[in-house]
Amino acid sequence: MVRAAVLPAVGAPLEITDIDLPDPGPGQVRVRLAAAGVCHSDLSLSDGTMRVPVPAVLGHEGAGTVVSVGDGVARVAPGDRVVLNWAPSCGRCHACGLGEVWLCANALAGSADVYARTADGTDLHPGLNVAAFAEETVVDASCVLPLPDGVPLVDAALLGCAVLTGYGAVHHSARVRPGETVAVLGVGGVGLATLQAARIAGASTVVAVDVSPEKEELARAAGATEYLVASERTAREIRGLTGKQGVDVAVECVGRAVTIRTAWESTRRGGRTTVVGIGGKDQQVTFNALELFHWGRTLSGCVYGNANPAEDLPVLADHVRAGRLDLSAMVTEHIALDGIPGAFENMLAGKGGRALVVF
């Protein structure tokens, strides 16, 4: 039995309870969690914005130590430090064949599996494949990535989602070049990672935007050269900071129609707008045909940073070891499992950066 945060039904409060976690079967790995990040996607799963089978143990951003492995597992062994990969690619579908592993059609297939049970025998699903809101978890071997040396295990949890997403948005999706100007809308965990990635990419001006004035210090520490409190004038203010042209790249990390529209209007003619935030179906964004022609901007979605975790993790580890990427600076709160509902409330209120569950 291990302690876990269970979502009994969509919209229901999380229950911190003991679950019966079996030993790993063939091709599976059991991991003792060191830490798990509380991501906005977990909130989206709990409120039904994103759908997964329930009851489920949420949590998809985590790192820990291998406890045991099932038959046929050779890539990791007990005692290995690993990062959880919530979206493993199958290598067989059309997207994988194109090399676009972040769009794998079967990446979330494991979420439908029954991986554990409650004390009364109720079947439990593993959230986004990995069920990181638990002291231990059992995952498919494809869901673990060996953690390179020199990266603190607790901080490494952030590599599993926020950092891969933010770094990938800058380096893979928007392809920010040295000297370009960048705006980042939303300074949560992913936004902070995006700001650091823009700095690493050599952006000249990095404008951070958030509804909370209290986040300015966090944003500037991550690499922002300018900070704006979101308002109806945000796009105009960003253009004013960039010679009235707009930024070369705007990255939206909120998932709201008004923020996406603001990111678009903040981008220079011919620039790139990348949408990272996950919004609901009710968030409708409209454009007229003339502006699409006139501005010549590129608007693109970005899934998991358009990243290949197996290839990007060693690169990120190198940035950490060199001091270019500061994982701990993104964390504004260390909590226990029972602190997750409070972390959800803080996200809804726009407070803080990343909350980290430490086991």
Side-chain angles (χ1 to χ4, degrees):
M1 304 293 285
V2 301
R3 205 77 171 155
V6 175
L7 178 69
V10 172
L14 291 179
E15 297 177 356
I16 312 302
T17 186
D18 289 330
I19 66 171
D20 184 6
L21 187 68
D23 292 331
Q28 293 184 322
V29 178
R30 184 169 181 138
V31 178
R32 179 179 298 114
L33 272 296
V38 183
C39 180
H40 203 282
S41 296
D42 297 308
L43 179 59
S44 296
L45 293 169
S46 71
D47 67 16
T49 299
M50 297 169 62
R51 292 285 185 174
V52 293
V54 290
V57 174
L58 301 183
H60 62 281
E61 181 182 83
T65 304
V66 175
V67 175
S68 56
V69 301
D71 291 343
V73 176
R75 63 186 304 182
V76 293
D80 286 353
R81 304 185 319 150
V82 295
V83 175
L84 298 179
N85 175 17
W86 62 269
S89 56
C90 70
R92 303 182 304 274
C93 69
H94 181 69
C96 287
L98 294 174
E100 298 173 352
V101 297
W102 55 92
L103 299 178
C104 175
N106 302 306
L108 297 181
S111 296
D113 296 341
V114 172
Y115 94 113
R117 289 177 173 81
T118 62
D120 65 6
T122 302
D123 291 344
L124 288 173
H125 301 281
L128 292 180
N129 285 324
V130 297
F133 287 167
E135 294 169 331
E136 296 186 9
T137 188
V138 172
V139 300
D140 189 86
S142 63
C143 291
V144 295
L145 297 168
L147 176 64
D149 293 337
V151 181
L153 185 58
V154 169
D155 293 344
L158 303 180
L159 296 173
C161 184
V163 177
L164 271 172
T165 300
Y167 180 86
V170 168
H171 290 267
H172 300 319
S173 180
R175 299 181 183 275
V176 175
R177 298 181 289 267
E180 289 194 311
T181 55
V182 177
V184 178
L185 287 79
V187 185
V190 172
L192 288 169
T194 304
L195 288 168
Q196 291 206 51
R199 172 176 47 77
I200 291 170
S204 57
T205 299
V206 182
V207 185
V209 182
D210 197 272
V211 295
S212 172
E214 288 76 22
K215 291 188 180 183
E216 180 171 0
E217 184 177 348
L218 271 175
R220 289 190 181 276
T225 61
E226 309 288 344
Y227 189 83
L228 298 175
V229 177
S231 71
E232 294 180 355
R233 293 177 48 84
T234 295
R236 183 177 299 177
E237 289 174 332
I238 290 175
R239 291 196 297 271
L241 292 170
T242 53
K244 299 184 179 181
Q245 298 301 310
V247 289
D248 297 301
V249 171
V251 183
E252 197 274 355
C253 302
V254 181
R256 296 183 60 219
V258 65
T259 320
I260 294 170
R261 182 72 208 191
T262 298
W264 167 264
E265 293 176 357
S266 301
T267 306
R268 69 165 173 83
R269 195 175 187 189
R272 290 100 70 200
T273 305
T274 295
V275 178
V276 176
I278 301 173
K281 294 180 180 179
D282 61 323
Q283 296 294 311
Q284 298 291 318
V285 189
T286 59
F287 307 91
N288 66 61
L290 181 59
E291 69 175 311
L292 290 173
F293 161 78
H294 173 76
W295 289 104
R297 297 164 175 147
T298 299
L299 176 67
S300 61
C302 179
V303 178
Y304 202 9
N306 292 9
N308 182 331
E311 294 181 357
D312 286 332
L313 187 59
V315 175
L316 293 172
D318 184 61
H319 286 308
V320 172
R321 288 190 295 263
R324 293 183 292 268
L325 178 61
D326 186 351
L327 299 176
S328 62
M330 297 168 52
V331 180
T332 53
E333 187 179 20
H334 291 91
I335 60 175
L337 277 173
D338 59 8
I340 297 173
F344 281 179
E345 292 175 5
N346 285 339
M347 281 192 290
L348 285 171
K351 296 179 179 179
R354 204 44 139 213
L356 197 63
V357 181
V358 179
F359 296 93

